[in-house]
Amino acid sequence: MTASRVGVFGLLGSGNLGNDGSLEALLGYLRAEHPEAVVDALCGGPEVVSARYRIPATRLHWYRGEYRTASRAGAIAGKGLGKLVDAFRTAAWVRRHDVVIVPGMGVLEATLPLRPWGFPYALFLLCASGRLFGTRVALAGVGADAIGNRSTRALVRWSARLATYRSYRDGLSRDAMRTMGVDTARDEVYPDLAFALPTPSEPATPGLVCVGVMDFHGGDDDRDRAEEIHRRYVDGVTAFVRALVRDGRPVRLLTGDEVDRTVVASILDAVDSPLVTAADAASLADLMKETAAAEAVVATRYHNLVCALKVGTPTLALSYAAKSDALMAQRGLAAYRHPAREVDADRLLEQFRELEKAAAELRVTLAERNQVAARRLEEQFTALTAALFPTTDHAPTHAHALRETP
């Protein structure tokens, strides 16, 4: 059998634990089902990806200051030249592969501030190159949402149209792409890829509450109010943590991206209590261990929520986007949401107490939903094999890693 040349693509190794967790889940599938595949990455943090996942990796952008705001003439020129160079670099990289997979992530959305000529342009180059050279490009379990900016929307729409295979992490994403003019009749919806990661077993710490925070400034359409939104969010979460401490509850602060550390520092400084500590999670596996040890979780970032729900811990979402609402609904916790843009510490505390009263029932619900998710992800990986490796003829071996113990 000829070894398939498989590329993985995205903002991987760039400090976002959710993105890296999606990559880890995909690599688990490839190593179990297609051990002959030769895998490498085109990504944001190649040094991290190579060291952590033992695969060769190439930097996504030629210009290293791609995601810094360009104000000087030299930086603007560098970015402009980088767009041209990246077109050739991406095409050359894609041409060397039989298959390229974009593993999960919200690559078809702009729920956080996003410029069209950053990642949306990079994704378009990938999908266009795949169509040009006959390389199969898969957007596997990705997130999407309605996009206001016309340029970003056009790039995302064409990227999706040019891909060989598409699946989504929720129905909201598929509906959004259909609204943007993509034919989704053959596209399936599966749980987020991170639900395929192993579930850790961690002893509970009595009274512990995990609070997942985020360097939140609103979405792409909130740029004019970004600082106001950020201040209200931090003040509200700080007041909530302070209320938990008054009740004698130990609080563990969680992050999902390196940029969130400033919010952690602000809360630690404002509350100034030995009951409040900060986790130093380097992966979704670490986050799962943290949330498994808690009696309850209140979290903002999408993959903080995924980790808590995956380990079956009753969870309340500080929701900043429709994807969080969809995730909570999938898991039977639609009633336990609070708007991240308008955090009201008193109301949040009331909701938290309601969550704790229903904890036993919610743990049963989550266990049942996680079993369903495991079965659906087996189907996702089977579909991926059929679409991308059509000559493969062997029985699935990944199922045992996905099934949860009843």
Side-chain angles (χ1 to χ4, degrees):
M1 180 186 297
T2 303
S4 297
R5 298 164 298 174
V6 179
V8 292
F9 178 94
L11 292 177
L12 309 164
S14 300
N16 184 286
L17 301 186
N19 291 358
D20 291 355
S22 299
L23 171 61
E24 186 176 344
L26 178 72
L27 291 177
Y29 150 71
L30 289 173
R31 286 164 178 164
E33 294 303 308
H34 305 283
E36 79 289 347
V38 178
V39 183
D40 73 312
L42 185 62
C43 60
E47 299 85 1
V48 173
V49 168
S50 291
R52 184 174 295 168
Y53 302 109
R54 306 186 308 280
I55 60 174
T58 303
R59 186 171 299 281
L60 179 59
H61 299 289
W62 174 79
Y63 181 64
R64 288 177 177 261
E66 176 60 39
Y67 293 104
R68 294 194 296 269
T69 301
S71 55
R72 295 183 178 179
I76 294 172
K79 277 197 171 188
L81 178 59
K83 302 306 173 192
L84 179 61
V85 174
D86 285 344
F88 290 96
R89 290 176 71 250
T90 302
W93 183 81
V94 170
R95 191 175 189 177
R96 296 197 299 268
H97 296 83
D98 302 303
V99 171
V100 174
I101 305 174
V102 181
M105 305 179 285
V107 296
L108 302 178
E109 65 181 49
T111 52
L112 297 176
L114 182 70
R115 300 292 187 189
W117 305 112
F119 187 79
Y121 174 70
L123 183 66
F124 170 75
L125 291 179
L126 172 80
C127 296
S129 297
R131 182 61 64 94
L132 179 63
F133 297 116
T135 299
R136 294 183 291 277
V137 174
L139 308 179
V142 298
D145 204 347
I147 297 173
N149 183 282
R150 292 180 62 182
S151 298
T152 303
R153 185 169 64 247
L155 288 166
V156 163
R157 179 173 60 246
W158 277 106
S159 296
R161 285 175 172 174
L162 292 168
T164 307
Y165 172 90
R166 296 180 300 268
S167 65
Y168 307 99
R169 62 189 180 191
D170 51 48
L172 167 83
S173 297
R174 183 170 61 184
D175 292 345
M177 295 313 298
R178 183 185 300 122
T179 301
M180 283 192 273
V182 176
D183 181 1
T184 62
R186 300 173 65 181
D187 298 353
E188 291 289 337
V189 172
Y190 301 99
D192 189 271
L193 290 178
F195 281 105
L197 294 171
T199 304
S201 178
E202 196 73 16
T205 301
L208 177 65
V209 181
C210 281
V211 177
V213 302
M214 180 177 178
D215 185 28
F216 180 60
H217 293 78
D220 206 39
D221 297 328
D222 297 319
R223 293 178 184 270
D224 293 342
R225 300 192 304 124
E227 287 310 311
E228 174 194 341
I229 290 171
H230 179 68
R231 183 171 59 255
R232 182 166 184 172
Y233 169 80
V234 174
D235 289 349
V237 175
T238 301
F240 173 68
V241 171
R242 192 177 283 121
L244 292 176
V245 168
R246 281 199 301 267
D247 289 343
R249 302 292 294 268
V251 176
R252 189 78 160 154
L253 300 177
L254 309 179
T255 61
D257 194 295
E258 290 178 0
V259 299
D260 302 333
R261 295 179 185 275
T262 57
V263 179
V264 169
S266 176
I267 295 172
L268 288 173
D269 183 61
V271 178
D272 190 22
S273 167
L275 286 174
V276 185
T277 57
D280 188 22
S283 66
L284 291 194
D286 291 343
L287 282 177
M288 285 187 206
K289 289 178 182 178
E290 296 284 351
T291 55
E295 289 189 352
V297 174
V298 177
T300 312
R301 279 200 180 272
Y302 181 83
H303 279 96
N304 275 199
L305 296 173
V306 167
C307 288
L309 298 170
K310 165 75 170 167
V311 300
T313 301
T315 302
L316 196 160
L318 284 170
S319 179
Y320 69 88
K323 63 183 178 183
S324 301
D325 298 336
L327 175 63
M328 296 298 283
Q330 286 173 0
R331 289 297 180 272
L333 278 78
Y336 302 102
R337 294 172 293 137
H338 189 93
R341 282 174 175 78
E342 300 175 354
V343 178
D344 180 327
D346 292 335
R347 175 58 186 145
L348 181 58
L349 191 60
E350 289 177 10
Q351 290 180 286
F352 176 75
R353 287 170 176 158
E354 292 167 6
L355 176 80
E356 292 212 298
K357 287 178 183 177
E361 179 183 344
L362 293 175
R363 285 183 181 274
V364 173
T365 298
L366 288 173
E368 293 171 349
R369 300 294 173 97
N370 283 334
Q371 289 183 32
V372 173
R375 289 193 292 271
R376 287 293 291 155
L377 280 167
E378 290 177 22
E379 295 168 6
Q380 161 70 104
F381 291 134
T382 298
L384 210 53
T385 291
L388 303 182
F389 307 95
T391 59
T392 301
D393 184 21
H394 63 275
T397 59
H398 60 272
H400 71 279
L402 290 169
R403 288 200 181 94
E404 302 292 340
T405 302

